[in-house]
Amino acid sequence: MRSSFIRVLGFLLILSGGCSLNPERNPQPEPENNPPVISSITITPSRIHRGEQGNLVGVASDEDFDFLLYRWSASYGIFPFRRDIPIVTYRAPDNVSADTVSFFVSDIRDSTVRVQVIRLVNIAPPQNLKASAGTRFVEVTWDPSIDNRLYDFLGYEIYVSERSFNSMPQEDWEAFKIPTDPITDNKYVVRNLEQGTIYYFQVRSLRATGERSYFNGEKDTSPLPQGLGSILREINYPQPYAQGFDFSEGVMRTFRPDDPSIRDGIDLYIGTADPEDGPGPLMFKSPERLAYRHPDWAGRRVQLKPIGDNWFVSETDSSDFVTAVPLTSRSVVAILLPEGHFAKFQVTDSLDTAYPYRQIQYRWAFQTITGYPRF
């Protein structure tokens, strides 16, 4: 009985051992693995400069919910702290215009790499450059650079030349930089300039690394005579003489409307919407509009154009001029004289009385350079 049991047990052991030694008869399938997926790499701030520090954020997922390993690398930049986590601190290189970063993700069995190029930006220039001329100076103003909060932003440099920067090699620009510390304000007054000379202005942003922005367009202007006037009356004000303005001399002149003997010294007068300056709304008028008083006035054609109520508008063009424009409080009028000079005139105050007793206070500016539409 015992020997029969031993024989059966031996047979079963042999049978069992034979099955285990032949895996092809009962294979165990290897579980399928899905590699990690990298969906994005982002950098903050979105505009990163040479030598600036920011953050890289890698977003990855694994369909199998495996534990993931991370590794960052860069061609030039560095990772000052860790580089084995999805969000890392990145410091851009100092001397190249682009860097390549790689984000490696692994679930032990499979791995994925995503490569991204980071374009390193130059410091941005100021915007909306303007140049407003005084009698012997020019005030240059601008809107701040979008990089004015950069950690090593120093301010702005001013350049001034008597010829256009567009006509000179870039290596010559440095000679025209005003020798002053970087300007932290958004304006600068350039003094001791000459009337009758055109000056060109540029402004650049500056970093502590010495990096300068490119020039974002130059502005040109020229200092010019200008001033305030006390009283200018409408043409039919009851007094022996009428009043007009002479821009070349910067003075109010008296004259007789029926006597054009000083015609070329009158550039502007105050009339009304009525063709013969009877009752009606006030108008700035060219002297040629006085031809109803004497035909010789027709030979003095001065052109006018409303340009708003901001005195500091400093340029115009030769289009849309007419010979009469409405006079309103604070109105600024561009003037084109027959001799080719540009000027501007503004109502600073008006006395609101009835026709024909109305009068204004004013200011004026006159460009001495012929054909140059700056004032």
Side-chain angles (χ1 to χ4, degrees):
M1 183 72 177
R2 181 176 179 183
S3 61
S4 298
F5 173 76
I6 292 174
R7 284 196 299 270
V8 172
L9 179 61
F11 174 77
L12 291 175
L13 289 172
I14 293 172
L15 181 62
S16 173
C19 291
S20 63
L21 293 174
N22 188 7
E24 293 183 359
R25 295 183 58 188
N26 189 18
Q28 299 294 318
E30 184 77 15
E32 184 179 353
N33 182 65
N34 295 292
V37 175
I38 300 174
S39 56
S40 66
I41 295 175
T42 57
I43 185 166
T44 55
S46 57
R47 297 179 74 256
I48 191 163
H49 303 75
R50 287 184 288 273
E52 187 179 9
Q53 192 163 284
N55 290 320
L56 289 173
V57 179
V59 177
S61 60
D62 187 87
E63 188 176 335
D64 305 318
F65 300 101
D66 291 333
F67 177 79
L68 299 179
L69 300 175
Y70 306 95
R71 191 73 172 175
W72 290 91
S73 62
S75 298
Y76 301 102
I78 62 172
F79 302 91
F81 307 113
R82 299 181 61 178
R83 55 178 180 154
D84 58 351
I85 51 179
I87 303 175
V88 292
T89 299
Y90 164 79
R91 187 183 184 279
D94 295 321
N95 53 3
V96 296
S97 59
D99 195 8
T100 301
V101 297
S102 299
F103 184 41
F104 172 88
V105 182
S106 174
D107 65 359
I108 305 301
R109 284 186 289 177
D110 291 299
S111 61
T112 304
V113 177
R114 182 161 179 165
V115 177
Q116 185 159 315
V117 175
I118 299 175
R119 303 291 177 187
L120 304 178
V121 299
N122 294 326
I123 186 173
Q127 304 293 318
N128 196 27
L129 181 65
K130 296 179 180 178
S132 181
T135 54
R136 297 286 177 182
F137 65 87
V138 171
E139 182 178 64
V140 184
T141 62
W142 57 88
D143 292 341
S145 164
I146 60 175
D147 291 325
N148 70 330
R149 297 187 182 278
L150 194 62
Y151 71 100
D152 63 348
F153 185 86
L154 292 183
Y156 305 95
E157 296 178 326
I158 310 294
Y159 296 72
V160 57
S161 170
E162 293 181 23
R163 63 189 179 105
S164 172
F165 290 93
N166 299 326
S167 66
M168 67 175 74
Q170 185 171 346
E171 57 267 23
D172 293 347
W173 293 351
E174 190 66 18
F176 300 97
K177 182 169 72 73
I178 293 178
T180 183
D181 292 336
I183 298 155
T184 56
D185 201 354
N186 297 326
K187 62 182 178 181
Y188 185 82
V189 178
V190 184
R191 302 188 184 277
N192 301 318
L193 303 178
E194 297 294 327
Q195 295 180 6
T197 299
I198 298 175
Y199 296 93
Y200 298 84
F201 301 89
Q202 293 272 18
V203 181
R204 301 172 91 175
S205 305
L206 178 67
R207 291 180 67 184
T209 60
E211 179 190 343
R212 295 176 170 91
S213 70
Y214 61 87
F215 281 154
N216 189 27
E218 66 184 11
K219 281 294 180 180
D220 60 279
T221 192
S222 177
L224 72 173
Q226 54 188 289
L228 297 171
S230 55
I231 293 294
L232 189 63
R233 299 185 174 96
E234 62 177 308
I235 190 75
N236 285 326
Y237 195 95
Q239 59 183 11
Y241 294 96
Q243 294 179 337
F245 193 76
D246 179 353
F247 283 98
S248 63
E249 297 295 332
V251 295
M252 182 273 293
R253 291 188 181 274
T254 59
F255 68 98
R256 295 180 64 92
D258 56 359
D259 177 10
S261 59
I262 64 165
R263 181 191 69 181
D264 292 345
I266 303 298
D267 298 327
L268 176 81
Y269 80 95
I270 298 176
T272 73
D274 179 70
E276 297 189 356
D277 297 320
L282 291 176
M283 303 279 286
F284 286 123
K285 287 188 169 183
S286 165
E288 76 166 3
R289 292 296 190 105
L290 288 171
Y292 71 92
R293 301 293 294 270
H294 193 291
D296 285 355
W297 284 108
R300 182 67 178 166
R301 182 181 179 85
V302 175
Q303 300 179 74
L304 307 98
K305 176 170 63 175
I307 55 174
D309 59 3
N310 179 9
W311 174 252
F312 296 102
V313 172
S314 58
E315 59 186 275
T316 187
D317 56 33
S318 299
S319 63
D320 302 323
F321 278 89
V322 293
T323 57
V325 298
L327 187 160
T328 58
S329 178
R330 310 300 299 177
S331 59
V332 182
V333 177
I335 312 291
L336 177 55
L337 301 175
E339 297 80 12
H341 295 277
F342 286 84
K344 63 180 175 180
F345 194 89
Q346 182 184 33
V347 178
T348 59
D349 196 12
S350 59
L351 301 180
D352 240 350
T353 54
Y355 172 87
Y357 298 97
R358 294 168 291 185
Q359 53 191 343
I360 66 167
Q361 293 179 326
Y362 58 93
R363 58 177 160 182
W364 61 276
F366 172 73
Q367 180 51 252
T368 61
I369 303 172
T370 304
Y372 185 57
R374 304 284 191 272
F375 36 59

